[in-house]
Amino acid sequence: MIDSVTTSPTEGSKTRIAILLTLMLIALGYLATCLYQIQVRDNLLYIGAQNETSIRRVRLPATRGRILDRNGVVLADNRPQYCAALYLDELRAAGRWSNTVNRIDRQIDRVAAILHRPREIDRNGIWQHLYRRRPIPLIAFRDLTEAELARLAEWPEPLPGVDIYVQQDRIYPFGDLACHIIGYVGKGNPNEKTPPQPLSAEADDAVLFAEAENPDFDFYLPDLTGREGIEKAFDAELAGRGGGALLRIDAIGYRRELLEARNPQLGRDIVLTLDAGIQQAAERALDGHCGAAIVLDARNGDILALASAPRYDLSTFVPALSSSIWNELLSDPGRPLIHRAAAGVYPPGSIVKPIIALEALTEGIVSPYDTVYCNGSYNIGNHRIRCASRWGHGDVNVRKALAASCNPYFMDIGLRLGYEPRIHDAYRQLGFGTAPQIGIPTGKSLLPDEAWKRKRFKDAWRPGDTAYASIGQGFLTVTPLQIAIYTLALANDGERVLPRLIRDPGTGVIDESRRVDGRMHWTANALQAVRDGMSDAIDKPYGTGRRAAIPGVPIAGKTGTAEYREKGTLKKHAWMIAMVPENNPEYVFTVVCEDSDSGGHSAAAVLKTLLQSLYQTDISPTAGEPSQNPDGGEPSSGEAPESETPDSEAVQETDSTPATDGDESGEDEAPGLPDEAIANTAESFSEALQSRNAGEPDFFLSPEDAASDIPETSETP
């Protein structure tokens, strides 16, 4: 009886069991509900959170487009650079982080021994990479040679975590050829937002990857970015568009797998109007000089050569420029980083005399047959300014005045013309005082007027200023490219053809258009008279440009010599412009040599060397030299004898007869300016360079820079 009572469940027990079962069912239902919410309803939310913590976005650099000359010669290209990389996820060690660093360090030593080359990364570099860029391969050795690649590939023992990594390097096949035009590249800054890219992206890619300019990448393998020249001006077209990769990492941060990748898009090619052969000839002709040489196609304004000297080797900028080389470039007294052809600012000297002649002839101030008597000097107020020839040229018309570069003639007709508006407007219409637009930075020179002088010197514009401006001295400054554009107008009978450096800006379409910015009002008779004078400057015994003559090549040219002072020392820039052939020109030339003797010597010699290269003529060393007077006496037309002491050395003779600039043959064109007038010629080109920030490689002189060296007070006659 007792046993039966103890083994039978009571009513209370059944109730407790039911409650327990009910609670268990409720708990299971709650768990099932939570599981449904996590696995089904909120699935995407949790996947997104997981991806946010375990997926890393890596930006992949694009391959830059090429830079080509007009004939398809490659001036800037890319090459694969093979590197030895270490994948850290395969080299991690248990325990402390130092264990992993030790293992990576030992593996780098092992690879260095195999390659027979010193290490390129130290222990601190390993720590930095492990801390900041753990999922990305560590580049341990760069730019492996074929022999090093073979040794690594044929090593018999396994090398955990070591693989070959390929990245792109910029190369410049011709070294320093056209270095100022092409420019150079540097690594992009991941903290800077890159400019918008010209290439479009597909919509589905935009879901997985940010655009190349999006700063939201977790890891950034920077592109090469243009720093100077065409590389900088057309960086958006050349750069292409960066790609990307999605990597999944584990809880510690090591790479687990590559989820997806988008390949970078190749940059576009830029085609220039340059002819690599002519550019090379111009640069060789400048060897030994600081200066510039420009060759334009007279028919359409294409820039065939834009050479500056000295130059620098673009290859030293890849893959990175060392601080020692950079400091060497900055301290070089020749200032090789300056693009003299496009941005150097100089006083022009006598090469502007054809403009004065054209304006005077067109305005009826003189006729081609009117003469001015030159007795060897010209008086302005109390100042006596000597001519190119101490003995004078006698009666000269415009043709002979251009050939012999007679200063009194052009001072006289310049004063009759008046500086404003006629001379000033002619200079302005030809582009003086404005920066030419060719696709890369160019210099803006100084075109003075009375308002500028009153503001700068608190003084009026005086007849002496007009006289100096008529022969390219005084306050007036120009760039070689501006002079080339003006010579281009001469070659096209006054039509102002604009220069062009870019044939294809990355569109795939070659631009053959001829751009014209109006026409000068010069008459046909005036143009013919000036062209005859420029032809005589080459062909006649008294011509200042006779040293540029080449038999069988008809040339019309004009030389110029511009004086300036540097720390009290009288110096000169030598100029020469030319059109070849003289009738229906095909080429236009501009040459300037800094700190030289005269246009008839230095600049003419550079031009002759360049012409010989272009026309492939075999010229004897004496060809084109000045002819001697058969009577053994003084040269005709008042020309100074060959043995004459350079006028620049006669500056001590007398205060009343200031020195004439020139060479030993009397072919000089500078006016023998008084000291204060020479000082006004933007006094010192070299000092202006030194006053700039030495850390700016993209230097060019602005009008303010040119004016900054002009004295605060001036006794202008």
Side-chain angles (χ1 to χ4, degrees), residues 129 264 361 567 597:
H129 189 93
L361 291 167
K567 298 179 180 179
D597 44 15

Side-chain angles (χ1 to χ4, degrees), residues 292-294 348-352 403 480 483-484 486-487 534-539 543-550 555-562 573-580 588-593 598-611 667 669:
I294 301 175
S350 296
I351 53 174
V352 301
I483 294 299
Y486 133 60
T487 312
M534 294 176 68
S535 177
D536 288 351
I538 307 296
D539 299 333
T544 60
R546 60 188 179 274
R547 285 182 173 82
I550 294 180
I555 305 170
K558 182 72 190 80
T559 59
T561 308
H573 297 313
W575 288 89
M576 186 161 189
I577 59 174
M579 303 176 290
V580 182
V588 163
F589 299 87
T590 299
V591 174
V592 61
C593 299
S598 72
H601 272 161
S602 301
V606 171
L607 178 62
K608 182 173 183 176
T609 301
L610 178 53
L611 287 171
E667 63 183 45
E669 308 87 21

